[in-house]
Amino acid sequence: MNVAARVAGSDVADPAALRQDLAAAFRLCHRFGWSESVGNHFSAALSADGRRFLLNRRWQHFATIRPEDLLELDLDAPPDMEGPDAPDPSAWAVHGTLHREAPHARVILHCHSPYATALACLQDPTMPPIDNNTARFFGRIGYDLQFGGISDNEAEGQHLARALGDKSVLVMGNHGVTVTGETVADAFEDLYFFEKAAQTVILARSSGQPLSILSDEVAQNTADGWVAYRGMAQRHFDYLKSTLDREG
């Protein structure tokens, strides 16, 4: 089984492995019920500076994406946006800008998963630390509460990059969530746990009872404690990929 590609020098060590992992993430996203028609986008940097990256082509359903379907794009050689394999304009504008402005975001997964989107639609969409999963993201979330419609220009990409800052998760008000990571496995694991955390918050708030919010000290201690479990991401992702293998 291929391991997740990691940065080595100026480029990823194994572009083929990165393609396989990113294609698997699309299919798994659909399996979990987080895909949306033929929209939304995942991307992964091929170069250390983020200027070359993989991205899904325009309007291909997540359930059908194979490694060879992913576009290899270069910010220094813009694609033909009118061609048959053109990327979605919003994906090119947003993901391209994010990879350029936030090169630490090696992998960028954006979707409208149900509970994360419900959280993003609250007047206060912050993630309160109320259990292990919610506290996992303590201090790691940026918030963009200036929804202005479909993001399809570089200025919006720059705005999102500023909102993300040095965080790894961006809650996009009235929209959805964007999760970043060093590898596809890391990013997908955070996407998985963020959806579980958002579900906990929505269910707890729906009770009408006050939330039992952890102190900042306990929340930070819990978030720090998750670092030692980072290896879970690769093991979980390997298992999920194996289920795709069994299904062909």
Side-chain angles (χ1 to χ4, degrees):
M1 179 176 294
N2 287 307
V3 297
R6 291 180 182 273
V7 176
S10 61
D11 296 303
V12 295
D14 190 345
L18 183 62
R19 282 182 173 274
Q20 290 180 3
D21 282 354
L22 193 60
F26 283 108
R27 290 174 175 262
L28 291 168
C29 182
H30 175 68
R31 175 183 290 180
F32 282 116
W34 304 338
S35 61
E36 188 157 292
S37 180
V38 292
N40 289 341
H41 317 97
F42 290 175
S43 62
L46 287 165
S47 59
D49 60 7
R51 299 189 74 84
R52 291 191 300 110
F53 58 96
L54 298 174
L55 180 73
N56 49 314
R57 67 186 65 199
R58 183 183 303 180
W59 303 338
Q60 181 176 357
H61 198 282
F62 277 22
T64 71
I65 293 177
R66 300 165 299 175
E68 59 268 28
D69 293 325
L70 297 169
L71 301 174
E72 181 174 334
L73 301 176
D74 189 334
L75 288 170
D76 297 315
D80 175 10
M81 298 302 289
E82 302 301 323
D85 290 333
D88 186 291
S90 64
W92 170 251
V94 173
H95 285 249
T97 305
L98 283 172
H99 279 296
R100 184 190 69 213
E101 299 293 330
H104 66 279
R106 304 299 305 164
V107 176
I108 302 173
L109 309 181
H110 170 67
C111 69
H112 303 162
S113 50
Y115 286 98
T117 302
L119 179 69
C121 291
L122 299 179
Q123 187 170 4
D124 177 8
T126 56
M127 175 75 75
I130 56 177
D131 76 333
N132 274 326
N133 290 341
T134 52
R136 174 190 181 99
F137 298 98
F138 186 76
R140 297 178 52 205
I141 306 174
Y143 295 90
D144 170 33
L145 305 184
Q146 300 177 27
F147 178 74
I150 294 177
S151 303
D152 58 2
N153 58 73
E154 184 176 332
E156 179 62 14
Q158 292 174 341
H159 164 74
L160 293 174
R162 289 192 297 271
L164 177 65
D166 62 353
K167 310 301 184 185
S168 59
V169 178
L170 180 63
V171 172
M172 305 166 75
N174 304 102
H175 189 167
V177 65
T178 293
V179 177
T180 72
E182 181 182 345
T183 69
V184 175
D186 289 334
F188 196 86
E189 188 80 338
D190 269 353
L191 182 61
Y192 174 87
F193 273 106
F194 192 87
E195 180 67 4
K196 288 180 69 69
Q199 180 180 25
T200 297
V201 172
I202 294 299
L203 291 176
R205 289 197 182 281
S206 69
S207 72
Q209 299 296 311
L211 300 182
S212 177
I213 299 177
L214 303 175
S215 68
D216 286 358
E217 180 181 5
V218 172
Q220 187 62 64
N221 183 57
T222 305
D224 293 342
W226 273 106
V227 175
Y229 291 87
R230 184 181 176 191
M232 287 175 55
Q234 189 61 58
R235 187 68 62 86
H236 185 204
F237 196 64
D238 284 345
Y239 164 73
L240 293 174
K241 285 195 299 180
S242 75
T243 65
L244 295 176
D245 291 340
R246 288 197 296 270
E247 295 172 3

